Amino acid sequence: MHSQWLAAGRPCSAEELCAQHPDLADRLAALLTDPTEIERQITEHGDRDLGEFRLIDEIGRGGMGVVYRARQRSLDREVAVKVLLDHITRHPAAVARFKREATLVARLDHPNIVAIHSVGEDGATHWFAMERIDGDPLTDIDPTTGKPRTVRATVELCLRVADALAHAHAQGVDRKST
């Protein structure tokens, strides 16, 4: 995709923006490129197979990948599968970081950290499968009251997140390890 972006007061292409910020290039590229081949296949044909997983629909997106709701056929269960964006697979450091993320999280055992079930490749597509947890985005309305989340509910949620982060740090996971 060759969208125009403002950088230093002048329009530039995605490639120019990435060249101007090489330390952010892999993350910027993820946000500035066309949909992945998997996304196109799901849009055009509905579900798509990825190894033993049947990708059903998109449930989230980040700088490196897209997360899909999927069905794991071998265990007949619903999971979430994070798929590395196609263009990022051309960057070996980004692929290594993606795999490292899965490996680090798989070592963790905590009720507030999602469990990683498997990691793999299907051709040039890199992915990992994890526990799928239903829930609401933090920005959503509290489903029990229909109003914005209360201060108490927000603090309780932050405490659970902080507890999970403390566990990860105690296991040696930090910004340098990802």
Side-chain angles (χ1 to χ4, degrees), residues 83-137:
V83 178
L84 188 62
L85 294 170
D86 285 345
H87 69 280
I88 292 181
T89 63
R90 293 185 288 252
H91 303 281
V95 172
R97 189 168 86 216
F98 182 80
K99 290 180 179 181
R100 199 166 44 250
E101 174 186 341
T103 302
L104 288 170
V105 174
R107 289 189 341 220
L108 303 175
D109 182 18
H110 190 276
N112 296 323
I113 298 175
V114 67
I116 301 294
H117 297 310
S118 60
V119 62
E121 299 171 32
D122 185 352
T125 303
H126 298 267
W127 56 269
F128 63 81
M130 61 193 129
E131 175 182 18
R132 182 174 175 273
I133 300 173
D134 288 321
D136 299 313

